[in-house]
Amino acid sequence: MSETTSELGPLRPYQVMATIVGLNLLVVMAGFLGKLLTDDTSWWNREDVQNTFMVIDQVHGLLFMILLVLIAMLATKHRWTPAFTLTTILLACVPFVSFWAERRATRTVLTAAQG
């Protein structure tokens, strides 16, 4: 990669944050499904487990807001269309698809930087 950091803007922080948020989203969904699909006596419904997942949920919300800022910075620097920006944001909300959305955005930035 011959592109400088200034040409790529906040691409690397975006990639790292998108991966962290995507993994965190899977943990959040596991906690939600565990509580939803089990009975009241299961491990998922213990108070300490629910308190832990509440903290994880809040951290996920904070990390997602940071991700939105990074997406906005990339969109501004690389002049993404509003449709591309919005779909990048929306796809970041879908488990597993969020990883594809990160690769899609990275590919777009790198392609624009090369030519």
Side-chain angles (χ1 to χ4, degrees), residues 57-73:
D57 291 347
Q58 292 171 352
V59 169
H60 173 72
L62 176 65
L63 295 175
F64 189 77
M65 287 187 280
I66 294 169
L67 180 64
L68 292 179
V69 170
L70 291 169
I71 290 171
M73 290 170 66

Side-chain angles (χ1 to χ4, degrees), residues 16-110:
V16 170
M17 190 57 63
T19 301
I20 291 170
V21 169
L23 292 172
N24 193 271
L25 179 59
L26 295 177
V27 172
V28 168
M29 291 304 298
F32 172 72
L33 291 174
K35 182 177 179 175
L36 184 70
L37 299 175
T38 58
D39 61 15
D40 290 339
T41 61
S42 76
W43 177 85
W44 290 101
N45 291 307
R46 287 183 18 197
E47 186 175 346
D48 59 332
V49 173
Q50 288 304 307
N51 289 339
T52 301
F53 274 101
M54 184 170 51
V55 171
I56 293 171
D57 291 347
Q58 292 171 352
V59 169
H60 173 72
L62 176 65
L63 295 175
F64 189 77
M65 287 187 280
I66 294 169
L67 180 64
L68 292 179
V69 170
L70 291 169
I71 290 171
M73 290 170 66
L74 277 173
T76 302
K77 176 152 182 69
H78 296 284
R79 297 189 175 152
W80 289 354
T81 63
F84 187 84
T85 304
L86 185 60
T87 56
T88 302
I89 291 169
L90 292 176
L91 292 173
C93 300
V94 182
F96 297 108
V97 177
S98 62
F99 299 109
W100 174 79
E102 180 271 323
R103 294 306 311 151
R104 174 179 159 250
T106 297
R107 188 173 45 250
T108 300
V109 170
L110 292 178

Side-chain angles (χ1 to χ4, degrees), residues 1-13 73-74 77-78 109-110 113:
M1 254 174 32
S2 62
E3 298 84 13
T4 63
T5 304
S6 63
E7 289 173 347
L8 298 178
L11 179 62
R12 180 60 65 192
M73 290 170 66
L74 277 173
K77 176 152 182 69
H78 296 284
V109 170
L110 292 178

